Amino acid sequence: MSLLKIENLKVNINGNQIIKGINLEVNAGEIHAIMGPNGSGKSTLANVLAGREDYIVTEGSVTYMGKNLFDMASEVRAREGIFLAFQYPVEIPGVSNANFMRTALNELRKFRNEEPLDAMDFLQLMREKAKLVEIDKTFLNRSVNEGFSGGEKKRNEIFQMAMLQPKLAILDETDSGLDIDALKIVANGVNKLSNENNAFVVITHYQRLLDYIIPDFVHVLYKGQIVKSGTKKLALELEEKGYDWIKKEIDM
Amino acid sequence: MAGELINNILSNFYEFENKLNGSRLSAVHTIRKDALDKFKLIGFPTAKNEEWKFSNPGFVHNHNFELSLNGNDEKITQEIVNQYKFENLDEHLLVFVNGFYSARLSDVKPKKRHIIIGSFAEAIERNSVELLAYFGKFADYNNNGFSALNTAFAQDGAFILIPDGTVVERPIRLLFITDAREQSVLTMPRNLIIAGECSQFKIVETSHTIGSQPCFNNVVSEIVMDFSSNVEYYNIQNNNENSYYVGTTQVSQQRGSIFTGTTITLKGNYIRNNLNSLLDAEACETNYNGLYFVGGNSFVDNHTLIDHAKPNCNSNEVYKGILNDKANVVFNGKIIVRPDAQKTNAFQTNRNILLTDDAKIHTKPQLEIFADDVKCSHGATSGYLDRDSLFYLRSRGIGEEMAKTLLLNAFASEVLEKINIAELRDMVKSYIANKLIQDDVYFCDVLDQLK
Ligand SMILES: Nc1ncnc2c1ncn2[C@@H]1O[C@H](COP(=O)(O)OP(=O)(O)O)[C@@H](O)[C@H]1O
Ligand SMILES: [Mg+2]
């Protein structure tokens, strides 16, 4: 089943075209990896899908579960099952992780005409998911990402993903800056969640994450376009030859 | 116009004097007459006065406010009072109608002997030594026409005396009701609060208007704190859109005392708060916390003055504001550190969030430091809600209004957390939530709930 279909997508930021015609189809049960050098537009693509308002779509279409994605506000996309693990998660002083997740989860439940979770059940769920990503219980009391290390922030993204159980999760360089243990925790979080009804788009700069999350497809994004697609083998090739190999091929 | 108002006030004063009968020669009345003379001299401030430059009180000339010279609580029912009570809060309740104490509506719980939680008028009547000692001695009326006028007409208000070594657990609530259903009114409550040595208590002042006629509350409070006393003073302002409020609170602190003043402004047409502390002894602590969350065409001016006159004192001032619609807000925080006041720590911040392009903030920190061995700082910011934070919350399925509410509460939390009365804190929190969201809210922190 097609979850996401991107056709000839073009996106401007501040008048500059950053995404220059992307086509991509993601079906339920699949894991896609998107690789590419810095500045090629990976985060821009991820943010457009999540609904960031200052990114202007100038052409093309995105269909999510048969509906026009651009008809949905950011929060509606989330309630319909889209999740973005941010490359740079923001710190929100004064809002506790617990309050944040409870509000998010209850908004989601309201959207599905379900009763809000009571405080006990909610805490139970939180503890369970916190364990999955191996974050300390005390973090639930702390403000969202405030004073978190880079690795803690990334694990918090995976924790939120585990809480919200999305249909389409986009992970934007969740592996960057992680040591190997943290990397395994993140990968484990993804693998536990992955099933035939959902899909993952894993944006990464390095192939090492793909040793733990095995992608069905690998795409290379360069200068706002997907310039190559293949299987896991493509990632290994990139690792070996570096991005210069692609750059040369394209820029010629 | 101006002349007409002053003439009215003068004839009010003669009427007032006539009904005083024998007591017109009393010491209290001597002060009143002196204050009236000052008022005749200086009148109401205008925008030409530096301290009133951004808060021109021109409204005093544009309305026919009727000053009530007598208390009359007949038209205020128990139901009206009940709606202003905080749920589940056990408090000593003093109710004032148009500035006059209502024994019928008040509810002062059993208390230890020598504690006085009552009215200013009663204290005058029984020739209270403390009232005679302190009335008019702290709130300067030589340079402030509003204070002069209040002093001239000082008749009733709250009189609180907590003796040495006494701790009062229940908050003391001063509930001011202005009845503007039939006519526009001017009220001039006068409060005197005396904290004995090592005494400890909390005061919660709230003012409410019923009816939609314009009304003007001109309030003066004097707070006198003896050695090592600890007073928390909360002022919650939630008047109607047609109300004008000028309040002056003057605090005098003795050695080792701690004063915490919290001013929460939620509604009103024109609100001017003067909050002043004189730290004329060592080892005092002064904390000012402020939160204003206003919209419509509200005008709010918080004018604070912390005067460090002696060494080794600390002051900490945090004012935060959320401005919606066309709200127009002034924050003017003055800190004086006099030459004697070495080893002073004085910190001040004022932060504002503007929810619209039409809202206006004018913030002015004024540090006047004449001692060299001190730590002082101030900071002021104003800006819009952080877009990245908003997007982050929305990307988790949280609707825009709810996301804003979360962020605004987070912004306000620094002040809210310092409210030591849970019922009061919850009231303000849910006020912020309800102002943005009509829907039901899962608002209180889950972890709080489980405690
Ligand atoms: N807010 C912005 N304003 C202007 N240019 C931007 C903005 N965000 C990203 N860009 C530009 O868009 C291009 C792609 O950025 P990005 O999507 O972050 O790349 P990647 O994630 O692949 O490293 C870069 O050239 C970057 O400078
Ligand atoms: Mg990126």
Side-chain angles (χ1 to χ4, degrees), chain A residues 232-249:
Chain A
K232 168 121 208 304
K233 273 210 304 231
L234 177 59
L236 292 169
E237 218 173 327
L238 275 172
E239 173 86 344
E240 200 178 304
K241 299 186 187 166
Y243 285 113
D244 283 347
W245 156 64
I246 300 265
K247 287 185 188 169
K248 255 185 224 142
E249 218 178 282

Side-chain angles (χ1 to χ4, degrees), chain A residues 43 87 172-173:
Chain A
S43 293
Q87 182 174 4
D172 190 1
E173 295 207 30

Side-chain angles (χ1 to χ4, degrees), chain B residues 364-403:
Chain B
K364 186 176 175 196
Q366 283 179 284
L367 267 54
E368 296 179 6
I369 299 171
F370 304 101
D372 45 26
D373 185 14
V374 299
K375 284 197 191 100
C376 298
S377 73
H378 67 87
T381 57
S382 48
Y384 299 97
L385 269 180
D386 182 48
R387 291 171 65 93
D388 289 341
S389 302
L390 212 49
F391 178 55
Y392 191 74
L393 295 175
R394 292 177 69 189
S395 80
R396 300 305 184 236
I398 299 174
E400 188 173 357
E401 300 304 291
M402 178 74 89

Side-chain angles (χ1 to χ4, degrees), chain A residues 111-168:
Chain A
F111 184 72
R112 298 185 189 143
N113 289 319
E114 294 169 2
E115 287 292 301
L117 270 188
D118 74 43
M120 280 315 264
D121 290 344
F122 172 75
L123 268 196
Q124 174 72 27
L125 183 70
M126 259 191 79
R127 294 218 176 94
E128 183 191 312
K129 302 299 182 189
K131 223 180 193 167
L132 178 73
V133 293
E134 296 180 28
I135 38 185
D136 192 80
K137 275 199 311 245
T138 59
F139 118 106
L140 306 179
N141 279 317
R142 290 168 57 188
S143 291
V144 177
N145 293 324
E146 192 186 26
F148 284 26
S149 71
E152 283 175 325
K153 284 181 185 164
K154 297 302 177 78
R155 274 190 281 167
N156 192 13
E157 296 293 289
I158 301 302
F159 162 76
Q160 292 170 36
M161 181 181 81
M163 289 291 291
L164 300 173
Q165 304 269 318
K167 278 204 180 63
L168 174 68

